Amino acid sequence: MGEAKRRKTALGEKYGQEARILPWVPITKSQSEKFVQWTTKGAWIGIILTVIAWITIRFIGPAFGWWQVV
């Protein structure tokens, strides 16, 4: 308990708050981790949609006679 009390008095108002990436950037470490997770998911969704579009344009469309690939 003594260490926690010393830490609380040393940090003052900053006690219990998350650490920032850099002191002048108002983004916490957990916010940056969430951003990386969201962008990774978005990238995979984009890759999957691109593959689906390519398969549709290259194979499905010509198979049903919707268009011809030149």
Side-chain angles (χ1 to χ4, degrees):
M1 286 293 250
E3 179 62 27
K5 287 182 182 179
R6 280 192 291 276
R7 192 178 316 120
K8 186 174 182 179
T9 57
L11 292 175
E13 291 181 14
K14 293 183 180 182
Y15 182 75
Q17 294 180 352
E18 282 192 75
R20 292 182 173 189
I21 296 173
L22 297 170
W24 62 87
V25 179
I27 298 172
T28 61
K29 290 183 179 182
S30 65
Q31 288 174 334
S32 67
E33 290 171 3
K34 286 181 183 177
F35 176 76
V36 170
Q37 289 174 351
W38 278 94
T39 54
T40 302
K41 286 180 184 178
W44 278 110
I45 290 170
I47 291 168
I48 291 168
L49 290 175
T50 302
V51 169
I52 290 170
W54 180 78
I55 289 172
T56 301
I57 291 169
R58 182 65 181 95
F59 298 110
I60 296 173
F64 286 116
W66 294 339
W67 58 77
Q68 293 180 350
V69 180
V70 179

